Amino acid sequence: MIRVEHLAKTFGSLNVLRDVSAEIARGEVISVIGPSGTGKSTFLRCLNLLEQPTGGAIFVDGKDMLDPATDVTRVRQRMNMVFQGFNLFSHLTVLENLTLAPTRLKRIPRAELEAKALELLRLVGLGEKAHSFPDELSGGQKQRVAIARCLAMDPEVILFDEPTSALDPTMVSEVLSVIRNLAREGMTMIIVTHEMDFARDVSSRVFYMDEGVIYEQGPPAQIFDNPQREKTRVFINRVRSYQAEVVSPDFDLYHLNGELERFFDKHALDAMMRGRVLLLVEELLQQYKPGLHQAPLTLRVEFGEQSRRISIVLSTSAAAARPLDAEAAAEDFSLAIIRNLCESIASGVEGDQQVIRLLLNSA
Ligand code: ADP
Ligand code: MG
């Protein structure tokens, strides 16, 4: 239904969207997640032409949206947007907020428009508020009115830009429930959100945006449980890390341990996990000591706030690396300790570096 090809958007010298490509089928629910400032809002705003893209193409049902002959008003009606800040007219009643745009755009008798508006208000649970003014409503109610107003335009796609970010936490769920119901009825939606549990259970696919592109996309199970790329993983697991460069075989282990203790304090790690990390680090450095004559070693301890798991990532030039994950002599006691402390040990190559990732046992 929607095909985006190499979409680009710059603001002056700021390259916000570099190269965004995506295809979205009718009935799909796409959640767009990612750190703030990565162009999620800009992406939505380009889709319905609130921003003019500086490059690329957007097709809806095969029709070129950036063709100058395209009726922009019609595009916005087909891909209608719900904003973080509701954007209701405070001098109009709830009902009038719903009928305003359709009255202007379509030649439909007023009574019919009002009947439909009332029906939509009932759909979002606000039938009794038809004659109230927005200021008499709570944030959650206002946002539900904004969703009903969006539906009043008979959109084929709804674009939500952080629909719950401006809400008091107690009102988030009533708005998310309304969006869930729309998903169940087959509405095509693109939702920028920070509500990860919601994104996980409502979406058919998740787009993780970073660096001006859709950096990783996939079904929720992939993005949330098994992200394939580094930045996605760091974002999803809210990974905090401590990194040290070990440059010689005579490194100061006491200093390193002191730094690690500070990192553990900051993240309230229990004594057992601390002990394991310190032991593992010591044994790893022992393994790598011969290699340190040739090349320095980067050691990173990562702690996932979400998963509460710890990983240790080592990188060094391939020549200095040790085959921790290969079969090794059974009498290597240090290696046996390392393996016992870890649930998994994986190695890979990044540039000229050998990278070894060790996931600590959690229990
Ligand atoms: P997100 O929604 O992911 O937080 P945005 O799309 O809002 O990110 O913004 C991405 C970047 O583009 C930010 O650095 C923001 O300051 C900038 N930006 C957004 N809109 C404009 C604009 N109209 N003019 C200049 N810069 C903008
Ligand atoms: Mg935004």
Side-chain angles (χ1 to χ4, degrees):
M1 178 187 196
I2 303 173
R3 187 154 46 90
V4 179
E5 291 177 351
H6 308 296
L7 189 70
K9 176 67 184 176
T10 56
F11 293 107
S13 61
L14 188 65
N15 223 341
V16 178
L17 301 180
R18 289 195 297 125
D19 184 357
V20 175
S21 295
E23 287 194 33
I24 297 166
R26 201 173 291 277
E28 270 204 284
V29 177
I30 305 286
S31 290
V32 182
I33 61 171
S36 68
T38 47
K40 303 181 298 297
S41 298
T42 304
F43 175 51
L44 289 195
R45 296 170 63 83
C46 282
L47 281 182
N48 80 346
L49 306 180
L50 284 171
E51 297 284 1
Q52 185 65 31
T54 38
I58 303 169
F59 297 95
V60 177
D61 291 331
K63 198 167 175 315
D64 181 359
M65 292 295 110
L66 302 181
D67 182 336
T70 298
D71 177 353
V72 173
T73 312
R74 169 101 181 102
V75 171
R76 293 197 191 133
Q77 177 248 311
R78 289 180 73 182
M79 292 205 262
N80 207 356
M81 189 137 154
V82 174
F83 302 89
Q84 183 178 327
F86 329 129
N87 299 8
L88 299 176
F89 289 107
S90 58
H91 64 288
L92 299 178
T93 65
V94 163
L95 192 73
E96 288 163 346
N97 265 282
L98 263 69
T99 53
L100 182 68
T103 309
R104 284 189 188 157
L105 283 180
K106 299 176 180 178
R107 308 202 152 275
I108 299 174
R110 175 141 208 101
E112 200 177 306
L113 279 180
E114 289 191 356
K116 187 181 166 205
L118 255 177
E119 188 190 314
L120 289 171
L121 285 173
R122 289 193 193 106
L123 184 78
V124 300
L126 293 171
E128 64 179 19
K129 299 292 185 188
H131 303 290
S132 301
F133 285 89
D135 287 348
E136 299 169 297
L137 306 182
S138 73
Q141 291 171 330
K142 281 183 204 170
Q143 191 60 301
R144 284 184 283 148
V145 170
I147 293 172
R149 179 184 57 179
C150 174
L151 291 168
M153 301 295 282
D154 290 322
E156 292 167 51
V157 183
I158 305 183
L159 310 175
F160 288 92
D161 193 0
E162 299 196 25
T164 59
S165 296
L167 300 177
D168 186 293
T170 57
M171 295 166 185
V172 168
S173 77
E174 64 193 50
V175 171
L176 295 184
S177 297
V178 166
I179 301 175
R180 267 197 190 93
N181 284 338
L182 293 173
R184 229 169 269 139
E185 283 162 23
M187 178 62 81
T188 312
M189 300 190 280
I190 307 177
I191 310 169
V192 174
T193 184
H194 289 294
E195 300 286 339
M196 298 298 162
D197 291 337
F198 169 71
R200 179 196 284 267
D201 72 44
V202 82
S203 326
S204 50
R205 272 188 299 155
V206 179
F207 291 177
Y208 172 73
M209 285 190 74
D210 209 330
E211 298 182 347
V213 298
I214 298 173
Y215 180 86
E216 181 169 348
Q217 61 142 317
Q222 174 192 323
I223 300 293
F224 293 112
D225 300 329
N226 189 22
Q228 303 294 302
R229 299 191 65 192
E230 183 69 13
K231 288 200 170 185
T232 321
R233 209 177 52 74
V234 167
F235 179 80
I236 293 297
N237 295 326
R238 284 189 263 130
V239 173
R240 305 293 174 237
S241 62
Y242 167 77
Q243 183 165 315
E245 296 290 321
V246 183
V247 295
S248 95
D250 294 321
F251 58 88
D252 185 346
L253 183 63
Y254 292 105
H255 175 74
L256 176 62
N257 285 350
E259 294 282 297
L260 285 171
E261 287 286 1
R262 288 212 317 199
F263 177 72
F264 300 153
D265 283 343
K266 204 158 120 196
H267 300 290
L269 243 67
D270 65 43
M272 189 181 69
M273 286 309 282
R274 289 171 189 232
R276 286 182 185 175
V277 177
L278 294 178
L279 177 58
L280 184 56
V281 165
E282 189 171 348
E283 294 300 337
L284 285 169
L285 291 175
Q286 202 57 42
Q287 288 287 327
Y288 275 82
K289 215 164 188 167
L292 286 167
H293 287 290
Q294 304 163 37
L297 174 76
T298 303
L299 176 124
R300 193 165 74 241
V301 176
E302 296 185 347
F303 172 65
E305 289 189 348
Q306 192 79 4
S307 61
R308 309 234 14 119
R309 298 297 298 265
I310 290 180
S311 297
I312 293 183
V313 184
L314 300 172
S315 47
T316 186
S317 79
R322 303 279 292 175
L324 297 178
D325 53 347
E327 283 309 313
E331 64 270 21
D332 188 336
F333 188 55
S334 164
L335 202 51
I337 294 177
I338 292 171
R339 289 185 180 169
N340 266 322
L341 286 168
C342 297
E343 183 178 302
S344 65
I345 301 176
S347 65
V349 177
E350 283 171 25
D352 65 341
Q353 299 280 295
Q354 182 86 20
V355 180
I356 295 107
R357 172 175 291 280
L358 305 100
L359 176 65
L360 255 76
N361 285 322
S362 56

